[in-house]
Amino acid sequence: MGGRQSSAGDLLQLVRSGRATTRGALQQVTGLSRATVGQRLDRLFRAGWLREGAAGPVDSPLGGRPSVRLEFDTSHAVVLAADLGTRRARAAVLTLDGTPLAERVGPLSVAEGPGRVLDELGSWFAGLLDEAGCGAEGVCGIGLAVPGPVDTATGRVVQPPIMPGWDGYDIRGRLRRALAGRTSCPVAGTVPVLVDNDANLMAYGEQRAGFPDCGAFVLVKVSTGIGAGVIVDGAVYRGIDGGAGDIGHVRVPQGADTLCRCGSYGCLAAVASGRAVAQRLAGAGVAAESGSDVRALLAAGHPEAVRLTRQAGRAVGEVLATVVTLLNPGVLMVAGDLAGTPFLTGVRELLYQRALPRATARLEVVTARLGQRAGLVGAGALVVEELYAPGRVEERLLALGV
């Protein structure tokens, strides 16, 4: 193959994907000479990104030396990942293959504003690095999931309905400074930071972990708000400025008189989110303030919580009938506080009633597999895929002087 296939970054991609994992296979796939492949691989070995694994079987009937298998060294760096909810956050130190080395979950409200929240995350990250026995100089990147639409080119949240004070804020810069200030590591002030919507990163993590061959995958998160992440051909579909998947603000007839936090009436989130169900339960005299409270009531089999959650599922299912007809996904996954049998039953009732049979004939409707860690998994994977993409590999190797 010609063109960029000759770069060290492309060889690393071939090894990471499993398409070519020996020197001979790399020569065969790329058409490069043995010497050129050796030169490219030498740069990757010097950077510490490749290692030699166990020798494979001898392919030739004439015998000879077994081929040495090449492997991406997932231990040469770590990723910091965090998933911000409206009231709680989860953060972790991950290896490059997504294995958690240290993890923390605790209360952290986005309503406190970006400065306070990001400074606290910097403190969490510093503590987690100590717990994992890693230095900040080993961090190759930070991935952050937030509950709002994100312009991924700038890493800034764009007019988020449930994140007051975050609109247009320099999240990347503040998080870098927060980490650098708590680790005394100058390199931490330049670490790459990738920010994306939480539903997008949950979808990315779930699709890669459980449905890697699904070319069209949709995840719907129903918690304080409602949002969807769409994965097409292995990549997050974000729209032109990060607004794709914001189905919580689709207008629905049953909410015509209900005011949404965005200021409009009739939004899906205003009638079918975890917060909306909690408000209805509170109105009926049941102690509930949030989606997590509803989740606890559902786990206890509370009949009114079950009824209202199923009703919420029907409202979401009506909107998802349009989503499924438009995108024709192979998997529709429901995640978040309300994900469970009552909600899923309601979704299926309206979805299969309203969508054309052809759109649902091969559709799997499932609940989340990774649970509360999906956002972390997706955030970590996004960082790795970005930093070890062929073009970025070349930039980073040059910066390292190899």
Side-chain angles (χ1 to χ4, degrees):
M1 296 182 183
R4 289 198 325 104
Q5 200 73 28
S6 62
S7 74
D10 282 296
L11 297 191
L12 181 63
Q13 183 68 19
L14 288 169
V15 172
R16 290 185 59 229
S17 67
R19 288 182 57 200
T21 58
T22 66
R23 289 170 174 79
L26 289 170
Q27 289 175 239
Q28 184 175 13
V29 170
T30 63
L32 296 174
S33 69
R34 179 178 179 180
T36 301
V37 167
Q39 291 168 357
R40 303 290 191 267
L41 292 179
D42 182 60
R43 298 177 67 199
L44 297 171
F45 277 113
R46 281 188 285 149
W49 298 353
L50 273 189
R51 66 186 175 198
E52 292 185 342
V58 177
D59 294 329
S60 171
L62 301 177
R65 296 177 62 187
S67 299
V68 175
R69 183 179 178 84
L70 302 173
E71 299 175 348
F72 180 52
D73 189 345
T74 58
S75 66
H76 75 265
V78 294
V79 174
L80 298 178
D83 184 4
L84 288 182
T86 53
R87 297 185 176 193
R88 295 177 66 79
R90 183 178 296 264
V93 179
L94 306 173
T95 63
L96 298 184
D97 62 2
T99 302
L101 300 177
E103 189 169 341
R104 176 173 176 177
V105 184
L108 193 58
S109 172
V110 294
E112 295 182 23
R116 163 80 175 83
V117 170
L118 296 173
D119 284 350
E120 185 66 14
L121 267 186
S123 179
W124 284 23
F125 282 148
L128 288 168
L129 285 169
D130 286 343
E131 183 181 336
C134 302
E137 65 279 356
V139 176
C140 69
I142 302 174
L144 177 63
V146 297
V150 177
D151 179 352
T152 54
T154 63
R156 297 173 188 251
V157 180
V158 182
Q159 299 178 359
I162 58 175
M163 299 178 70
W166 290 74
D167 184 27
Y169 190 85
D170 181 17
I171 294 174
R172 291 173 174 172
R174 185 60 175 257
L175 192 51
R176 288 189 189 107
R177 292 192 297 274
L179 179 63
R182 286 159 177 77
T183 60
S184 301
C185 176
V187 178
T190 61
V191 65
V193 178
L194 276 66
V195 186
D196 208 336
N197 171 261
D198 55 357
N200 284 347
L201 292 181
M202 290 175 69
Y204 194 58
E206 292 278 8
Q207 187 267 341
R208 289 173 60 85
F211 302 90
D213 298 324
C214 180
F217 178 97
V218 176
L219 177 142
V220 180
K221 180 185 179 184
V222 186
S223 290
T224 299
I226 299 176
V230 180
I231 310 297
V232 178
D233 293 334
V236 178
Y237 178 75
R238 301 184 177 91
I240 60 172
D241 64 0
D246 201 3
I247 64 171
H249 300 284
V250 173
R251 304 267 179 103
V252 292
Q254 55 268 56
D257 299 323
T258 306
L259 179 64
C260 180
R261 296 176 76 178
C262 73
S264 297
Y265 284 87
C267 293
L268 179 64
V271 300
S273 66
R275 181 173 182 268
V277 174
Q279 288 176 335
R280 286 185 173 83
L281 286 167
V286 180
E289 297 181 2
S290 65
S292 58
D293 293 332
V294 178
R295 184 176 68 233
L297 289 167
L298 291 171
H302 190 284
E304 186 65 2
V306 170
R307 185 185 72 81
L308 289 175
T309 298
R310 181 168 176 171
Q311 182 177 306
R314 288 172 60 85
V316 173
E318 187 168 1
V319 172
L320 290 178
T322 300
V323 172
V324 167
T325 301
L326 178 65
L327 297 178
N328 189 209
V331 176
L332 173 62
M333 177 175 284
V334 178
D337 289 329
L338 300 193
T341 301
F343 188 85
L344 204 62
T345 298
V347 166
R348 285 178 169 141
E349 285 174 0
L350 263 290
L351 173 63
Y352 289 108
Q353 178 183 326
R354 299 295 172 86
L356 290 173
R358 185 185 183 283
T360 58
R362 299 172 60 190
L363 176 68
E364 289 186 67
V365 182
V366 299
T367 52
R369 308 290 175 84
L370 297 177
Q372 301 298 313
R373 296 193 61 251
L376 286 183
V377 173
L382 190 73
V383 170
V384 173
E385 292 306 314
E386 168 71 17
L387 296 184
Y388 294 92
R392 288 299 300 274
V393 164
E394 288 304 307
E395 294 175 13
R396 296 176 64 207
L397 288 176
L398 289 173
L400 290 171
V402 298

